[in-house]
Amino acid sequence: MLNKQADLAGPGIGTYEEVAAALPQNYASLLTPMETMHALFGVKQYIEENLCKELGLSMVQVPLIVDRESGVNDMLDRDGSRTPVEFPCGLGLEKRLNAQVVQAATKWKRMALKAFGCEIGEGLCTDMRAVRKDYFLDHDHSAYVDQWDWEKTISADQRSLNYLTETVRTIWKVIKGAEQYAQKMFPQLVDPRYPSLPDELTFIHAEEILERYPDLPRKQRETRLVQEFPAVFIYGIGWPLADGYPHEMRAADYDDWVTETRSKDGRPMHGLNGDILVWNPVTKRRHELTSMGIRVTKDTLRTQLEMSGQLDLLKQPYHQAILNDKIPLSIGGGIGQSRVYMLLLKKAHIGEVSVTVWPEQLRKISAEKNIHLLQ
């Protein structure tokens, strides 16, 4: 049996020898660099406009840096392996501020719902930028992250698997529409080698995936799954499965992964969250587009922090706001912008749609594969 514990340790392939082997042979971009930019910004405008329209959201400003003591930075997981960039700021202050570059705006958004006065059914969407320095840099993981981070106020009776499912379907409708929009802009994106996305997602629980492939670690389970079903939403990420491991590590203080739900055949499951994954026909690999979920209540927050050994976080302002009902119940997620562009524009590397830093070794490997990274 392969090492399941190691597979929980975060994203990325692992070595550049593996990256070189994974990148496609005989690759040629379907768009020139300038055509890529025109298509990218067309898709960006389409998604922002239609995501807001379909989910009842408004575009708002979002922080790039936050105060460390606020507790609103996203720690991404619960094993402490991915820490934010941190620096002192405030020239002339007797005690300088401890600023952190955001890794995502997950917690900030929920507090922002109150600040912007979002009632039930209303929400916000952000053009979020972040730095995640602890990623292995490969073909679809960058230290620079851009996301449509969104959040929406909900009622207590909307904290259900059905409501989550309908929200996911709405998001998929927008992504599918963006693909069609890009293909109208540049018809060469319709290519028989790279099939278009399916009209509908397949919904499946992490427990059911484990039952299908009990001996495989998470990433290989996902790969097998999307080869069979090219676009899926995986429910229940964070709760320990039947083999004792969660499908993937999930932070304990935003998504609700402990609430009990029921499978289609009536079996008990857990979790009101999940990920959209697709099969990428260019890279021939699994490709994650978004993580999202219904957020914790004060009760599920305590349970998840206790399970993860992090009850000391309860003293932080964000956690106190949840415990004291100061911020609303919500649903939200982050949709990877460059991940979407890479997929819809049929690119082999995220560096073809995003300008950031890459190790020289990866640049050389990419150039040898006719993949030209922006710089």
Side-chain angles (χ1 to χ4, degrees), residues 119-122 152-160 163 272 294-295 297 328-331:
E119 302 292 337
I120 292 173
E122 299 174 342
K152 182 177 180 180
T153 301
I154 62 173
S155 61
D157 61 358
Q158 289 174 319
R159 300 190 75 261
S160 69
Y163 185 78
L272 294 172
I294 291 172
R295 307 308 195 190
T297 63
L329 300 175
S330 68
I331 184 174

Side-chain angles (χ1 to χ4, degrees), residues 204-219:
I204 187 168
H205 197 281
E207 196 75 70
E208 295 170 299
I209 303 173
L210 177 63
E211 290 170 1
R212 282 175 174 264
Y213 318 112
D215 295 330
L216 294 180
R218 183 260 305 182
K219 292 173 190 173

Side-chain angles (χ1 to χ4, degrees), residues 10-12 76 82 132-137 141-143 145 339:
L76 302 178
R82 290 178 262 173
R132 298 180 182 177
K133 64 179 177 58
D134 295 319
Y135 276 6
F136 179 84
L137 308 179
H141 290 93
S142 166
V145 177
R339 285 291 190 84

Side-chain angles (χ1 to χ4, degrees), residues 68-208:
R68 176 183 182 181
E69 281 68 39
S70 70
V72 300
N73 207 350
D74 191 332
M75 295 296 113
L76 302 178
D77 52 38
R78 57 183 190 269
D79 68 356
S81 64
R82 290 178 262 173
T83 59
V85 174
E86 187 170 319
F87 60 95
C89 70
L91 186 63
L93 292 175
E94 182 177 345
K95 182 181 179 182
R96 302 184 78 180
L97 299 172
N98 292 319
Q100 290 182 341
V101 179
V102 298
Q103 297 195 117
T106 310
K107 300 171 191 172
W108 176 87
K109 293 177 301 176
R110 186 168 176 184
M111 300 183 78
L113 289 174
K114 181 178 180 181
F116 286 106
C118 295
E119 302 292 337
I120 292 173
E122 299 174 342
L124 49 87
C125 185
T126 71
D127 187 8
M128 193 278 300
R129 298 291 186 268
V131 174
R132 298 180 182 177
K133 64 179 177 58
D134 295 319
Y135 276 6
F136 179 84
L137 308 179
D138 59 22
H139 74 291
D140 65 353
H141 290 93
S142 166
Y144 169 75
V145 177
D146 51 2
Q147 288 187 171
W148 291 291
D149 251 335
W150 64 275
E151 199 81 8
K152 182 177 180 180
T153 301
I154 62 173
S155 61
D157 61 358
Q158 289 174 319
R159 300 190 75 261
S160 69
L161 213 56
N162 285 340
Y163 185 78
L164 172 65
T165 302
E166 289 309 308
T167 303
V168 173
R169 287 195 172 115
T170 299
I171 292 171
W172 185 249
K173 172 185 172 184
V174 173
I175 293 173
K176 180 64 182 175
E179 178 187 56
Q180 295 168 341
Y181 182 84
Q183 291 175 353
K184 287 180 182 178
M185 289 179 67
F186 294 98
Q188 62 266 44
L189 291 173
V190 180
D191 188 307
R193 295 173 298 169
Y194 311 134
S196 296
L197 297 170
D199 291 335
E200 302 291 338
L201 287 168
T202 296
F203 289 82
I204 187 168
H205 197 281
E207 196 75 70
E208 295 170 299

Side-chain angles (χ1 to χ4, degrees), residues 208-259:
E208 295 170 299
I209 303 173
L210 177 63
E211 290 170 1
R212 282 175 174 264
Y213 318 112
D215 295 330
L216 294 180
R218 183 260 305 182
K219 292 173 190 173
Q220 293 190 31
R221 292 201 297 269
E222 291 177 348
T223 297
R224 289 281 294 274
L225 184 69
V226 294
Q227 286 175 318
E228 185 176 352
F229 306 100
V232 301
F233 184 79
I234 301 173
Y235 295 117
I237 298 178
W239 179 263
L241 304 179
D243 63 354
Y245 299 99
H247 182 76
E248 184 182 3
M249 299 292 280
R250 200 69 134 215
D253 49 8
Y254 53 90
D255 281 355
D256 182 333
W257 38 262
V258 297
T259 290

